[in-house]
Amino acid sequence: MTRFFGRDDEKRDAVTGRPALPVSATEGILAAIGVEPGAARMEVESGYGWQFQRGSALIEIYLTPEQESYLQVLSPIMHLPAQNLLALYRRLLELNLQLTNASLGVHEDVVYVFHERLLEGLDASEADAIVRRLAAYADELDDALSAEFGGRMYGRG
């Protein structure tokens, strides 16, 4: 498999000299998993973003143009329930030990499953695995955690 994110053949940004963000590679991965890249593209403040639905979960992918560029893949999976927060937080911590290359967290009263990685050295097979794995976790965990703790699934308002 070719290195979509490899260092040797990267194009560099003319102003910053940093590697150009691998937009076409990300869109190639999306196409390979059955997502229409153009339809998934979204406007972001800086960098690039895509979102798509996988089962009941919304998946978001970002390429950030910071000092060091990052691939971020995340999914808002459920709104926090009104009760049993301590039990939910404990369950999220327990699940964090079981997830591979992903973590669970809370931001603005929403539970997220999340992965972030530097782009440097990232190849296409690893990026593909990250997106597929996180999408599978999100689709499974939104149903399970909502059923267990009563929170509304994010994709359902």
Side-chain angles (χ1 to χ4, degrees), residues 66-95:
E66 299 166 359
Q67 187 74 357
E68 296 183 270
S69 297
Y70 285 88
L71 168 71
Q72 297 174 329
V73 185
L74 58 95
S75 178
I77 57 176
M78 68 178 274
H79 298 274
L80 288 176
Q83 299 177 355
N84 298 324
L85 286 178
L86 186 59
L88 172 63
Y89 292 152
R90 180 183 177 102
R91 183 73 175 122
L92 295 177
L93 286 171
E94 291 168 348
L95 287 167

Side-chain angles (χ1 to χ4, degrees), residues 108-148:
E108 296 184 359
D109 293 334
V110 175
V111 176
Y112 284 81
V113 61
F114 179 84
H115 177 91
E116 181 177 70
R117 186 198 186 291
L118 283 168
L119 285 176
E120 184 175 343
L122 180 64
D123 65 28
S125 62
E126 183 181 358
D128 180 69
I130 289 167
V131 171
R132 288 177 190 266
R133 184 179 301 115
L134 193 120
Y137 284 154
D139 189 33
E140 179 182 334
L141 290 171
D142 64 353
D143 294 310
L145 290 171
S146 292
E148 186 175 349

Side-chain angles (χ1 to χ4, degrees), residues 53 56-58 76-79 142 152-157:
Q53 200 75 25
S56 56
L58 176 68
I77 57 176
M78 68 178 274
H79 298 274
D142 64 353
R152 282 181 299 124
M153 287 176 34
Y154 187 86
R156 303 221 172 119

Side-chain angles (χ1 to χ4, degrees), residues 11-56:
K11 294 179 180 169
R12 300 226 170 238
D13 182 282
V15 175
T16 66
R18 293 191 311 263
L21 296 175
V23 174
S24 61
T26 303
E27 292 189 341
I29 289 167
L30 291 172
I33 62 173
V35 174
E36 166 52 45
R41 204 172 297 130
M42 63 181 177
E43 292 291 321
V44 295
E45 194 172 305
S46 67
Y48 301 90
W50 299 264
Q51 67 180 9
F52 62 95
Q53 200 75 25
R54 185 57 77 217
S56 56

